[in-house]
Amino acid sequence: MIGAFDKRTIIELSGDVIKEIAQKYENVQNDIGDMMDGALIETEARRILNKGISETKKETALL
């Protein structure tokens, strides 16, 4: 499981890479940044995990 610090680090480093690659193409840089910001770490496995955690909390609350 990746923590908030690691996630933020990956996002910031990705931004640095985007700036280097797309210096001359500002609109491409913005579009890629929007796509990668947050969605980079959101995977199917993470969605399943979060759904399970949410359902467990609901079941626990009902007890």
Side-chain angles (χ1 to χ4, degrees):
M1 186 167 194
I2 189 168
F5 176 79
D6 293 329
K7 180 178 179 180
R8 188 70 216 159
T9 301
I10 290 169
I11 291 169
E12 288 179 16
L13 291 174
S14 297
D16 292 344
V17 171
I18 291 167
K19 287 176 188 173
E20 286 297 318
I21 292 172
Q23 281 179 337
K24 296 180 183 178
Y25 306 101
E26 187 174 326
N27 60 343
V28 172
Q29 181 178 343
N30 291 335
D31 291 344
I32 291 172
D34 290 344
M35 287 186 290
M36 292 185 72
D37 197 19
L40 178 67
I41 305 301
E42 187 66 29
T43 63
E44 185 64 23
R46 171 131 357 237
R47 282 190 288 277
I48 291 169
L49 173 65
N50 289 338
K51 183 178 178 183
I53 291 170
S54 176
E55 289 176 2
T56 300
K57 286 180 182 179
K58 288 177 187 175
E59 290 175 7
T60 302
L62 293 174
L63 296 175

